[in-house]
Amino acid sequence: MELNTKEIVKKMILDSQEMVRDYEVHSKKVNDSEIADIFKKFAEECGYQASELQKILKDKF
């Protein structure tokens, strides 16, 4: 089954949101504060991506 553009955007939103959760969870589990900070930064970046994709979904579909 091939996905259309709207379905791909929705999938990428879910993937980005899952990455946010994963990075946040892992940032609390690692013992290295430098790595924890990097994971927190990555979570923010993935959140930004999810937000931008939500805008695309709203504006174009």
Side-chain angles (χ1 to χ4, degrees):
M1 180 177 115
E2 193 166 322
L3 301 175
N4 64 34
T5 303
K6 182 178 180 180
E7 292 165 337
I8 292 169
V9 171
K10 284 182 175 183
K11 180 187 180 318
M12 295 310 298
I13 290 169
L14 293 175
D15 289 350
S16 295
Q17 291 170 335
E18 185 174 342
M19 290 298 293
V20 169
R21 285 188 296 274
D22 288 349
Y23 278 125
E24 286 177 344
V25 167
H26 295 312
S27 74
K28 295 173 185 170
K29 291 183 178 180
V30 297
N31 295 326
D32 186 312
S33 63
E34 184 179 355
I35 293 172
D37 289 343
I38 290 170
F39 283 177
K40 289 174 189 174
K41 178 182 166 211
F42 288 172
E44 289 177 21
E45 291 171 357
C46 289
Y48 175 76
Q49 291 172 4
S51 175
E52 290 296 305
L53 289 166
Q54 288 281 7
K55 288 178 192 173
I56 290 169
L57 187 63
K58 180 184 172 191
D59 294 344
K60 294 207 175 251
F61 300 100

